[in-house]
Amino acid sequence: MPSFARARSIRLNVNQLHLTPPARGGEFPVLERLSFTNCRFDAGALISRCPRLRVLELICCRALDTITVHSATVEELLVTGEGRRLRGVDIVAPLLKKFTLHSDVSVDFSMSLLAPMVENLSWNCRFACWLDPHKAVGMRLGRGGGA
């Protein structure tokens, strides 16, 4: 993936392209907004190269099995995935204020969300329970710190 040192916003819409950041360099020092549609990449490796990233959109990135976003700067995160079976979401984002997750999920879906500043949460996960009626879909929400 090329580096764009002065880009503040990047929007890529490609058909199943696999993006790999270069081994060295490839920094995005002023990038604030990043949007991917229909592609595959290592989100963690890319996010670590974007020290000012505030908005991240992952739209129909079907090849991503698990979404991992660990960022000290991301404030908005959008994840959508029609027709794919997302297996997991792992988010550590202390400044995250808006989180949207709309996706089909697998039977073994798991989610870890550490985002104490979330103000706007939209979560629409679909599971084809008719495939195995003995499987249950559950959700546990809670706050840390004994609350």
Side-chain angles (χ1 to χ4, degrees):
M1 179 171 186
S3 174
F4 300 99
R6 295 186 302 174
R8 293 184 63 189
S9 178
I10 295 176
R11 180 177 299 267
L12 292 175
N13 184 346
V14 293
N15 190 15
Q16 296 303 316
L17 179 67
H18 184 111
L19 301 174
T20 304
R24 281 186 240 155
E27 301 293 322
F28 299 88
V30 297
L31 189 68
E32 294 179 2
R33 181 178 207 94
L34 183 58
S35 177
F36 286 107
T37 303
N38 295 319
C39 60
R40 235 172 61 182
F41 66 101
D42 180 353
L46 189 56
I47 290 168
S48 68
R49 297 171 187 227
C50 305
R52 295 188 183 186
L53 188 64
R54 292 184 314 103
V55 178
L56 178 61
E57 298 176 336
L58 307 174
I59 303 164
C60 294
C61 295
R62 288 186 176 92
L64 295 177
D65 189 44
T66 299
I67 304 293
T68 301
V69 176
H70 292 190
S71 171
T73 60
V74 168
E75 296 176 12
E76 292 184 33
L77 176 59
L78 168 69
V79 177
T80 66
E82 297 295 322
R84 75 169 214 209
R85 300 275 187 255
L86 185 62
R87 292 189 62 190
V89 173
D90 177 16
I91 299 169
V92 177
L95 297 181
L96 187 66
K97 294 177 184 164
K98 182 177 181 180
F99 176 47
T100 302
L101 173 63
H102 293 205
S103 184
D104 294 336
V105 296
S106 69
V107 65
D108 58 346
F109 176 78
S110 68
M111 181 167 157
S112 173
L113 175 62
L114 179 58
M117 301 295 286
V118 167
E119 299 169 352
N120 186 329
L121 176 66
S122 175
W123 186 0
N124 182 1
C125 295
R126 294 164 303 279
F127 169 69
C129 60
W130 61 87
L131 296 176
D132 187 347
H134 301 289
K135 300 284 184 184
V137 177
M139 175 171 56
R140 185 176 66 189
L141 298 174
R143 291 181 166 248

